[in-house]
């Protein structure tokens, strides 16, 4: 049987998080400012001189900041924003590459009590604009190189009052844009943090679903014990580790475990602001003497493709613990990692909505390659019957459900109560993933329960791609699905029905692709557009993407009885 939401489960839930809260000095109901905990608490504990951030830019430039630097720089950003009139509850977007200011601002915004909205700087016009509009964002921090996109988005965003540019250089600023130069400005020793309670909103992370616009998963300051504790227990972080998380903070992994987890534990972390390059990654692991590495299956598959020899040319003996998240970690990757690094990647499973790791192969546990592992102590997980939402026996595939109540669970989707309510049935939070659990209690990922495409660990909502396609004058209808890919697991493929008067051609395909590129992020870009005479639909006219998907994967399309005859 899958684990019942037993009393014992509830008790261990209380103990794990309670231990974390005790270690963090959190009293029940007392203020818990997440920003303060990531910097000032570490300094107050006498570790202000300990390195917090070992940063390297794409051109190879390096910087090193300790926790005192982090405290002062985040204070500077908090007081600068306060000076602009930004206050508690206001949404402040980070539209930045992985520059040091991104990390300082994240902490500073939390200190101020404003809500951080991190977005990938690679987002195109449409992706950026939709999310800023949805959140009613008041201020945005960016770099000069992204100002073009921000300016275009701003024309349609009356709520966006302040654009803060964090790098100096040529080019005049426009009204509503201000420069913030941390290297020259005052760096205050103290900033009175907002008295955030456990339920005070902290972060808005946008995530994609099948229907509708991307949704803003809203997190709270009281999530802290979950990220602190899971980073310590599941990622095995210890005070003198050098930790590297490959994720961008535009993605929840890059905040929960690329900022909150390590810094609340006072751990040094490495940031490489550059795209994937196997040689450079190994150099980084070697040079920084990384001890704990949190990566993703697509990156691991790319490394595998480069071969073991390349890894052997580097001294990676400092590596102690390896973990992975975002997509199914195939058994080959686990075996390869054992052979190459002398230790396996430990799969961890979670979501934007869970805020922390909920299923994991814990350090030291026996790994069944291909399994996600077991519920993190304190998490009650079960495989549920998709209709009755009751736990299924071992071996059966169903919807993966979690008992609500862990500290970092999302508290809602921004302005979208019905989408949030739809995530719960019979006291379970529904992950939207299909899984099974074996007789030992190990969980196995089967697939998504919806049409969301997971490409290289990034969720792409078909709706967003289809809406962008429909803006093209030649497109009458469209459907976006995932097609198999050896590295990214799946990539986006779009099916397009043309309007009368338009003929399929390579030129038209290129034109459609170019139009999409300006609107979407590179992650969501279709690799292929196929022109088709019609799309499979239900009798009520809903496009059935699963039929198209099954065709791409060479799988049976499932029940076709409700489809419209063409
Ligand atoms: O489908 C699951 C997949 O990624 C989804 C969550 O994506 P996101 O909200 O962007 O957060 C990703 C980082 C936490 C899940 O619903 N996923 C995540 N981890 C795994 C996974 N699929 C298989 N195995 C995993 N370990």
């Amino acid at each position: 049987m899958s684990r019942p939401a037993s009393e014992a489960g509830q008790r261990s839930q209380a103990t794990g998080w309670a231990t974390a809260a005790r270690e963090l000095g959190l009293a029940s109901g007392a203020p818990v400012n997440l920003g303060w905990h990531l910097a000032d608490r570490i300094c107050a504990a006498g570790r202000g001189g300990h390195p917090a951030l070992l940063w390297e830019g794409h051109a190879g430039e390096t910087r090193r900041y300790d926790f005192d630097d982090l405290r002062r720089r985040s204070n500077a950003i908090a007081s600068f924003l306060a000076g602009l009139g930004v206050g508690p509850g206001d949404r402040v977007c980070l539209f930045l590459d992985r520059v040091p200011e991104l990390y300082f601002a994240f902490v500073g915004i939390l200190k101020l009590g404003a809500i951080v909205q991190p977005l990938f700087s690679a987002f195109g016009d449409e992706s950026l604009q939709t999310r800023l509009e949805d959140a009613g964002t008041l201020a945005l921090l960016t770099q000069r190189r992204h100002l073009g996109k921000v300016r275009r988005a701003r024309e349609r965003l009356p709520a966006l009052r302040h654009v803060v540019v964090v790098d100096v250089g040529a080019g005049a600023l426009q009204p509503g844009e201000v420069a913030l130069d941390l290297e020259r400005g005052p760096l205050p020793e103290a900033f009175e943090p907002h008295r955030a309670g456990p339920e005070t909103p902290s972060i808005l992370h946008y995530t994609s679903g099948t229907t509708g616009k991307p949704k803003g998963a809203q997190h709270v300051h009281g999530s802290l014990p979950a990220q602190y504790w899971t980073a310590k227990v599941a990622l095995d972080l210890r005070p003198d580790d050098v930790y590297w998380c490959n994720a961008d903070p535009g993605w929840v992994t890059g905040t929960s475990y690329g900022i909150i987890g390590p810094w609340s534990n006072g751990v040094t972390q490495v940031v490489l602001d550059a795209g994937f390059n196997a040689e450079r990654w190994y150099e980084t692991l070697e040079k920084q003497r990384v001890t704990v590495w949190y990566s993703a299956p697509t990156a691991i598959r790319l490394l595998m493709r480069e071969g073991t020899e390349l890894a052997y040319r580097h001294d990676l003996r400092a590596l102690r613990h390896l973990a992975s998240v975002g997509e199914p970690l195939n058994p080959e990757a686990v075996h390869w990692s054992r052979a190459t690094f002398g230790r396996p990647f430990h799969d961890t499973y979670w979501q934007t909505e869970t805020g922390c790791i909920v299923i994991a192969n814990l350090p030291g546990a026996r790994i069944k390659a291909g399994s996600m592992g077991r519920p993190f102590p304190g998490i009650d997980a079960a495989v549920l019957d998709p209709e009755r939402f009751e736990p299924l026996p071992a071996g059966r595939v169903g919807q993966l459900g979690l008992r609500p109540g862990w500290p970092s669970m999302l508290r809602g989707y921004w302005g979208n109560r019905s989408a949030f309510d739809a995530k719960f049935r019979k006291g379970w939070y529904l992950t939207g993933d299909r899984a099974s659990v074996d007789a030992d209690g190990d969980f196995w990922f089967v697939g998504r329960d919806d049409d969301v495409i997971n490409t290289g660990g990034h969720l792409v909502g078909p709706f967003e791609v289809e809406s962008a396609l429909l803006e093209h004058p030649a497109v009458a209808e469209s459907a976006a699905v995932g097609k198999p890919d050896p590295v990214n697991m799946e990539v986006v493929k779009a099916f397009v029905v043309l309007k009368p008067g338009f003929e399929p051609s390579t030129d038209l395909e290129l034109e459609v692709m170019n139009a999409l590129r300006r609107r979407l992020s590179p992650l969501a870009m279709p690799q292929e557009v196929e022109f088709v005479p019609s799309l499979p639909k239900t009798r009520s006219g809903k496009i059935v993407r699963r039929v198209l998907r099954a065709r791409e994967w060479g799988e049976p399309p499932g029940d076709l009885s409700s489809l419209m005859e063409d």
Side-chain angles (χ1 to χ4, degrees):
M1 284 283 290
S2 50
R3 283 165 49 102
S6 62
E7 256 180 60
Q10 299 289 344
R11 265 203 306 281
S12 75
Q13 178 157 336
T15 11
W17 310 132
T19 309
R22 204 167 47 246
E23 289 188 6
L24 288 161
L26 300 176
S28 160
V32 48
N33 186 297
L34 192 47
W36 183 87
H37 273 271
L38 302 182
D40 301 44
R41 190 182 71 83
I42 309 301
C43 299
R47 283 173 61 89
H50 190 69
L53 178 62
L54 307 177
W55 181 87
E56 188 173 317
H58 51 89
E61 66 278 33
T62 57
R63 297 208 205 122
R64 181 191 166 97
Y65 300 94
D66 59 28
F67 279 93
D68 277 329
D69 295 324
L70 172 61
R71 174 173 55 82
R72 295 191 198 102
R73 281 168 167 73
S74 54
N75 286 345
I77 293 181
S79 53
F80 183 86
L81 289 171
L84 291 178
V86 178
D90 289 332
R91 275 76 63 209
V92 181
C93 172
L94 298 175
F95 193 59
L96 294 160
D97 301 339
R98 275 172 279 172
V99 290
E101 289 81 0
L102 166 61
Y103 297 83
F104 305 144
F106 183 90
V107 176
I109 294 164
L110 292 172
K111 284 185 176 177
L112 184 61
I115 303 174
V116 198
Q117 181 193 17
L119 294 179
F120 286 107
S121 58
F123 274 157
D125 294 11
E126 193 86 16
S127 307
L128 172 66
Q129 203 253 333
T130 342
R131 289 162 176 82
L132 294 175
E133 186 173 23
D134 187 75
T137 309
L138 176 72
L140 174 145
L141 280 79
T142 194
Q143 292 151 270
R144 284 188 184 266
R145 56 193 300 232
H146 303 305
L147 262 180
K149 281 191 267 189
V150 173
R151 285 176 180 162
R152 285 194 295 277
R154 252 191 119 180
E155 289 167 13
R156 290 183 283 165
L157 295 167
L160 182 58
R161 298 244 297 280
H162 310 286
V163 171
V164 180
V165 184
V166 301
D167 50 358
V168 279
L173 294 180
Q174 295 182 355
E177 295 171 354
V178 273
L180 168 63
D181 183 358
L182 279 185
E183 298 311 315
R184 285 170 204 225
L187 297 176
E189 286 297 328
F191 178 88
E192 186 59 39
H194 177 65
R195 284 178 67 82
E199 293 302 314
T200 303
S202 56
I203 306 165
L204 256 191
H205 261 301
Y206 275 77
T207 182
S208 302
T210 311
T211 53
K213 289 181 301 185
K215 303 184 291 281
Q218 191 225 298
H219 290 281
V220 292
H221 283 255
S223 70
L224 177 61
Q227 286 119 354
Y228 165 82
W229 190 242
T230 48
K232 188 169 173 172
V233 175
L235 301 182
D236 202 26
L237 288 187
R238 304 175 195 170
D240 291 320
D241 271 322
V242 176
Y243 165 76
W244 190 22
C245 167
N246 297 147
D248 186 297
W251 193 41
V252 70
T253 308
T255 58
S256 283
Y257 298 104
I259 302 181
I260 305 171
W263 283 349
S264 62
N265 277 281
V267 167
T268 305
Q269 71 159 327
V270 171
V271 169
L272 176 63
D273 182 21
F276 177 84
N277 175 299
E279 175 80 51
R280 191 145 183 212
W281 276 34
Y282 288 133
E283 272 168 25
T284 303
L285 290 168
E286 178 174 16
K287 188 170 65 188
Q288 307 286 20
R289 303 193 49 75
V290 172
T291 54
V292 178
W293 183 21
Y294 198 21
S295 197
T298 289
I300 302 166
R301 286 192 288 266
L302 283 168
L303 292 172
M304 286 168 74
R305 208 170 58 174
E306 302 283 334
T308 303
E309 273 307 306
L310 187 62
Y312 287 166
R313 287 212 287 275
H314 297 84
D315 178 359
L316 306 178
R317 281 173 302 176
L319 277 177
R320 190 187 81 244
H321 186 70
L322 278 57
S324 157
V325 64
E327 315 148 63
L329 181 64
N330 38 319
E332 299 75 24
V334 177
H335 302 316
W336 177 82
S337 140
R338 262 208 189 96
T340 310
F341 306 116
R343 46 197 79 238
F345 268 98
H346 293 67
D347 195 9
T348 66
Y349 165 93
W350 55 293
Q351 305 181 305
T352 304
E353 286 84 349
T354 69
C356 76
I357 293 168
V358 290
I359 296 182
N361 287 285
L362 292 184
R366 191 173 58 87
I367 293 181
K368 290 183 194 158
S371 156
M372 305 193 286
R374 301 188 182 180
F376 186 84
I379 297 285
D380 260 312
V383 173
L384 304 172
D385 177 301
E387 255 123 54
R388 292 183 303 120
F389 302 102
E390 270 153 26
L392 286 169
R396 297 270 303 276
V397 174
Q399 161 107 242
L400 179 60
L402 306 167
R403 275 278 183 229
W406 69 98
S408 64
M409 192 182 92
L410 86 160
R411 299 305 199 265
Y413 290 116
W414 191 259
N416 195 344
R417 180 77 215 203
S418 58
F420 181 64
D421 290 344
K423 297 290 291 183
F424 298 89
R425 288 280 194 296
K426 294 215 176 142
W428 293 99
Y429 160 78
L430 305 178
T431 60
D433 286 316
R434 286 179 300 126
S436 70
V437 56
D438 65 21
D440 298 331
D442 287 299
F443 282 69
W444 300 77
F445 183 82
V446 174
R448 297 272 319 178
D449 202 33
D450 55 22
D451 289 337
V452 172
I453 303 156
N454 186 336
T455 174
H458 293 273
L459 301 190
V460 175
F463 179 82
E464 213 177 348
V465 180
E466 291 159 8
S467 311
L469 276 166
L470 290 177
E471 306 250 339
H472 192 280
V475 176
E477 283 184 315
S478 68
V481 301
K483 74 167 202 176
D485 181 81
V487 170
N488 290 291
M489 191 169 81
E490 46 184 12
V491 289
V492 181
K493 172 167 179 180
F495 291 87
V496 165
V497 178
L498 291 172
K499 285 188 188 154
F502 289 93
E503 287 301 320
S505 71
T506 322
D507 281 353
L508 185 57
E509 181 179 343
L510 276 177
E511 196 194 303
V512 170
M513 288 282 223
N514 283 336
L516 278 184
R517 203 160 283 130
R518 281 193 298 276
R519 295 177 188 281
L520 297 172
S521 84
L523 304 165
M525 268 304 291
Q527 302 280 303
E528 187 187 341
V529 171
E530 183 179 332
F531 297 114
V532 286
S534 65
L535 294 171
K537 288 191 188 151
T538 59
R539 285 174 219 281
S540 57
K542 216 168 136 242
I543 295 170
V544 191
R545 299 185 192 88
R546 83 181 143 76
V547 174
L548 297 166
R549 185 180 194 282
R551 203 180 293 158
E552 294 301 315
W553 287 76
E555 289 169 357
D559 179 12
L560 299 178
S561 57
S562 65
L563 291 198
M564 208 160 70
E565 309 278 333
D566 272 322

